[in-house]
Amino acid sequence: MTELIMLHSFRGGTGKTNISANVGALLAMSGLRIGLIDTDIQSPGIHVLFNLDESSVDKTLTSYLWGESGIEEAVIDVTESLGDKAGGKLFLIPSSIKASDIARILRNGYSVTLLDEAYQRVQDALELDALIIDTHPGLNDEILLSMALSNTLGIILRPDQQDYQGTSISMKLAQNLEVSDIVMIVNKSPQLFNEEMVKSKVEEAYSGEVAAVVPHSDEMMALSSAKLFVVEYPDDPLTGIFKKIALRLMT
Amino acid sequence: MLLTQEKVDFLKTISFFDRLHERQLQKLADICVENAYGKGEVIFQQGDVGGILYIVVEGQVLLERELDRQEDTISMSVVNPQTSFGEISLFYDAPRSVTATAMKNSKLLSMDNDDFKEFIRQYPDMLMEINQVLSQRLVEAHDKISEIARPHKPRELRKLYEKLDF
Ligand SMILES: Nc1ncnc2c1ncn2[C@@H]1O[C@H](COP(=O)(O)OP(=O)(O)OP(=O)(O)O)[C@@H](O)[C@H]1O
Ligand SMILES: [Mg+2]
């Protein structure tokens, strides 16, 4: 069975996209078949980590949602971006980055239940071990539907009062939707914070599990989403933390 | 300007009149008045007194319903050539229920209700045809209602939103 893993945060900029891509990359390197799908149709971004731009992306999730292409046609094999270390496969299903497409889908809407079918199809067609869903922050139709479908939800938060409030909302949503496995990931924790203390504080506040506390990293920031951290810095302690997250999300 | 024969030839193509003979059509043509409207021009306004039936010869007419206390309208239908509008006022003496506007430069034939009723009295068989058109309009109105009343979220999604009602 394919794991359907969704990474979500109530507020923006927490690191959903970078964590999705890096976790996906690690799992593919370890020999699994992994899909990454960008359901952030109004502000897509994960393609950037794989050096893709408007000219290198043709069919997308967006064109599928309009019935203009099959979802299989939108799949891009990005295994090469993992260097020669990949034992498995990494596939990306991007959303359209054309301004006119984004305006069109916001204006006309689409049948959101097609997403369910898209997940099913790529899982089967690509024989995936896991499909990782990158989302827009907050709550919208895509997020609600994806949350209800996913087996594992990773809620990402920064140690910040606004994120704390947002996280309690995400938690409530996920519990009401009966998501079976919910974990929190604290990201961008200041280097001077004690990670164990942050972890226990957050676990206590939400009576939930924290999979990892990821420190703020200047190297990560300097990569500016242009590359995969785990490929560039395979021996960095941060890569070790991403591995821990990857392992936890798969179990 | 259309010649009487041209009017007759046009009227023949309208389903209302397809059972009429040449001579009857000529009588009908005599009570038809030709009107031209420029693009954007209002033919009648919702709330106006009715009393005239129109048939589009050329162009296109938009029928819109204005909403109460809103600067908003619902477009009820787009009337293309060989189609009539305003026929409700034929048997029902009420103000116009929609506003009709020419979407393109349009040529219309209009018939005064009293003249047309007088004509129908001579050829009562025509009532069947007219009834059919009126019934068709009713079905179109029902379609429009279900389109407008359609819940904008699919059922699966609405169920999920209900779960969030904590
Ligand atoms: N641990 C980290 N240390 C430093 N910078 C980080 C870290 N994690 C993420 N970033 C940076 O934070 C920025 C936002 O990350 P990302 O785009 O992944 O967040 P997001 O949650 O997907 O945002 P959005 O809500 O807009 O989709 C990026 O510039 C990324 O490089
Ligand atoms: Mg993102």
Side-chain angles (χ1 to χ4, degrees), chain A residues 62-126:
Chain A
T62 320
S63 55
Y64 158 79
L65 292 173
W66 275 320
E68 289 173 355
S69 67
I71 190 68
E72 293 93 339
E73 294 169 66
V75 177
I76 304 173
D77 186 339
V78 291
T79 312
E80 253 182 28
S81 55
L82 308 178
D84 49 10
K85 297 180 214 66
K89 280 271 174 200
L90 187 60
F91 302 101
L92 176 69
I93 299 109
S95 274
S96 175
I97 7 167
K98 288 198 188 94
S100 57
D101 284 352
I102 296 169
R104 180 174 156 206
I105 205 150
L106 289 178
R107 187 183 60 229
N108 299 343
Y110 68 94
S111 174
V112 70
T113 43
L114 284 172
L115 265 185
D116 189 354
E117 200 184 302
Y119 297 159
Q120 290 294 336
R121 275 176 178 261
V122 291
Q123 286 172 27
D124 295 346
L126 304 175

Side-chain angles (χ1 to χ4, degrees), chain A residues 111-113 116 139-141 144-145 148 172-173 176-178, chain B residues 152-166:
Chain A
S111 174
V112 70
T113 43
D116 189 354
L139 180 64
N140 62 25
D141 291 355
L144 187 61
L145 193 76
K172 264 208 192 106
L173 297 178
N176 278 266
L177 296 173
E178 294 150 54
Chain B
H152 27 260
K153 304 261 186 224
R155 184 182 298 142
E156 284 153 272
L157 202 60
R158 272 184 290 137
K159 275 195 195 149
L160 292 178
Y161 274 106
E162 275 156 24
K163 285 193 178 181
L164 304 187
D165 208 1
F166 40 76

Side-chain angles (χ1 to χ4, degrees), chain A residues 197-216:
Chain A
M197 265 173 63
V198 172
K199 181 173 149 78
S200 58
K201 210 178 119 189
V202 172
E203 286 188 333
E204 197 185 324
Y206 301 103
S207 15
E209 174 194 346
V210 170
V213 176
V214 186
H216 169 89

Side-chain angles (χ1 to χ4, degrees), chain A residues 5-9 11-28 34-37 45-47 49-50 82 90 92 130-135 152-159 163 183-189 210-217 220-221 223-231 238-250:
Chain A
I5 300 168
M6 171 169 170
L7 290 170
H8 180 250
S9 64
R11 302 192 63 245
T14 53
K16 292 178 292 301
T17 299
N18 275 270
I19 294 177
S20 300
N22 279 289
V23 162
L26 285 170
L27 291 170
I34 304 297
L36 285 171
I37 186 163
I46 201 162
H47 57 277
L49 281 104
F50 299 94
L82 308 178
L90 187 60
L92 176 69
L131 178 61
I132 301 175
I133 306 170
D134 184 24
T135 60
T152 304
L153 174 69
I155 299 176
I156 305 177
L157 65 149
R158 290 158 296 203
D163 278 17
V183 290
M184 290 173 282
I185 298 159
V186 182
N187 189 24
K188 302 189 184 181
S189 186
V210 170
V213 176
V214 186
H216 169 89
S217 148
M220 175 102 179
M221 199 147 195
L223 278 185
S224 59
S225 303
K227 281 177 176 152
L228 291 166
F229 186 91
V230 298
V231 174
L238 207 67
T239 298
I241 297 174
F242 283 134
K243 278 184 186 159
K244 198 166 102 184
I245 297 169
L247 206 65
R248 174 58 189 87
L249 292 174
M250 277 308 285

